[in-house]
Amino acid sequence: MFSGLVKKSFDTVNENSAIVLFFVLFLIAINFLLPYIFSAKSIITTVILSICLFLFAAVFIAGWINVLKESTEKEKIKEKNFSAIFFDGAGKNIIPVAFSLFLYSVLLVTILFLVGRFAQYFFGSLDFLFKDILNMTPEQNSFMNYIKTLSIEQLYVIYGWQLSFMLAIAVFNFFFLFMPPALAQEIKINIFLKVFIAFKNSLCFTFKNFIPVFGIYFLICFISGFLNIIRAITLPNIIFAILFLFIYIYFVAYVIMLIFNYYEQKNHCDNRTDGIRQDDISDTTCQDN
């Protein structure tokens, strides 16, 4: 049952502090490094720091997905050393994860470029917006006041571009939803080919379980959109902003844990050859899906 899967994911994250701790440390490091990238005075410095950021992200993801994979065995969480598990995953998964990030970035940039051409053809150019923004005064409400002065046709162009990019990114990420747990699986193949096998496995898994996967993805997008609305409303209040940050961090942890649990349990059901029940939640998931 899906509710049992959600409960298991919540309990796992709450019982294994390493999941959130590693994620928080990663966010702190990223926020420390980003200002130096944006304020760098030379292109060479920017490129070097960007490469360092990319490699750091790859190391984190490689270790984190190993922690998440091991955390799917909820009953054994207290028996495991997740610091060692993180570094073990960072070592054995760094190459396929880095390669995956590179391919993901290239494909995403390509898709966004094509969507931009599509939006320009069907909705019109955004040249007027870029030109006006460059000439805009740096007042807090200047952009909102500027939006109010736009014509219906100009708003139609802006909303058309926004909708095109939102849909493209949503569909693109849908096909990569189960790439992290697929990368975390042990695959006896050349390490440079693992990314392609993992992508094939995640894509096959998505289409094999299309309806429940679509439901999970829609729910994730809906809750994320709802949280972003709340964030926009409470942003001026520093207390609510800090509270929202903690909520969003745990939301991301719960979501990624849910994805790993669903992938592991569905694969367990599909690959099981005997009729013995091994797990109440896994058993219910097999019956309902």
Side-chain angles (χ1 to χ4, degrees):
M1 185 180 293
F2 181 70
S3 59
L5 195 66
V6 172
K7 183 179 183 303
K8 179 184 178 182
S9 301
F10 268 73
D11 292 342
T12 301
V13 173
N14 293 336
E15 292 177 17
N16 185 8
S17 58
I19 294 175
V20 176
L21 178 61
F22 285 125
F23 185 47
V24 170
L25 292 176
F26 171 72
L27 294 177
I28 293 174
I30 289 295
N31 281 279
F32 177 78
L33 188 57
L34 282 177
Y36 290 96
I37 294 177
F38 291 122
S39 62
K41 296 181 179 180
S42 68
I43 297 178
I44 296 177
T45 304
T46 301
V47 171
I48 293 174
L49 290 177
S50 298
I51 293 174
C52 291
L53 180 63
F54 175 84
L55 294 176
F56 179 72
V59 169
F60 163 74
I61 295 174
W64 202 42
I65 61 175
N66 205 41
V67 170
L68 290 161
K69 179 181 180 298
E70 293 294 327
S71 298
T72 57
E73 301 180 52
K74 181 176 174 292
E75 298 77 11
K76 300 180 180 179
I77 283 179
K78 295 181 180 179
E79 304 173 10
K80 298 180 178 181
N81 181 352
F82 283 99
S83 295
I85 290 172
F86 177 87
F87 289 108
D88 178 61
K92 68 182 181 182
N93 294 326
I94 178 62
I95 293 178
V97 167
F99 196 20
S100 298
L101 283 177
F102 177 75
L103 290 179
Y104 176 88
S105 302
V106 171
L107 289 174
L108 181 59
V109 170
T110 303
I111 292 296
L112 293 181
F113 172 77
L114 294 175
V115 171
R117 298 294 296 268
F118 168 85
Q120 184 168 3
Y121 179 80
F122 282 95
F123 301 109
S125 175
L126 284 176
D127 290 344
F128 70 92
L129 180 63
F130 298 131
K131 181 179 178 180
D132 292 341
I133 287 177
L134 291 175
N135 297 326
M136 194 177 299
T137 57
E139 298 176 5
Q140 184 176 2
N141 297 322
S142 58
F143 184 75
M144 294 305 300
N145 293 332
Y146 166 72
I147 292 295
K148 294 177 182 178
T149 64
L150 296 177
S151 64
I152 298 297
E153 291 76 13
Q154 289 174 319
L155 290 175
Y156 169 78
V157 174
I158 294 175
Y159 294 146
W161 276 74
Q162 285 182 328
L163 183 62
S164 299
F165 279 104
M166 287 173 60
L167 288 176
I169 293 173
V171 172
F172 182 77
N173 286 332
F174 175 76
F175 293 112
F176 280 86
L177 187 63
F178 291 97
M179 189 66 176
L183 276 173
Q185 296 294 315
E186 295 288 344
I187 303 176
K188 295 182 179 180
I189 196 172
N190 186 290
I191 195 170
F192 293 99
L193 298 177
K194 183 178 181 180
V195 58
F196 299 105
I197 302 300
F199 180 68
K200 178 187 74 70
N201 292 342
S202 66
L203 206 59
C204 291
F205 181 88
T206 298
F207 282 102
K208 186 176 181 180
N209 307 279
F210 187 83
I211 294 178
V213 168
F214 180 80
I216 291 173
Y217 189 66
F218 178 81
L219 182 63
I220 293 171
C221 292
F222 177 80
I223 297 176
S224 178
F226 178 74
L227 289 176
N228 284 325
I229 292 174
I230 296 178
R231 177 179 178 273
I233 296 174
T234 60
L235 190 59
N237 189 308
I238 185 63
I239 296 177
F240 281 109
I242 295 175
L243 179 61
F244 173 83
L245 178 61
F246 280 102
I247 292 174
Y248 207 85
I249 287 173
Y250 270 92
F251 169 71
V252 173
Y254 291 139
V255 164
I256 194 68
M257 193 70 246
L258 174 65
I259 290 171
F260 269 77
N261 278 331
Y262 185 72
Y263 187 85
E264 289 287 335
Q265 290 183 6
K266 286 297 294 182
N267 280 335
H268 170 75
C269 294
D270 295 339
N271 295 331
R272 191 181 61 195
T273 57
D274 59 277
I276 301 175
R277 303 298 187 194
Q278 300 182 26
D279 187 287
D280 289 338
I281 297 177
S282 178
D283 176 47
T284 313
T285 305
C286 295
Q287 293 177 2
D288 292 349
N289 293 293

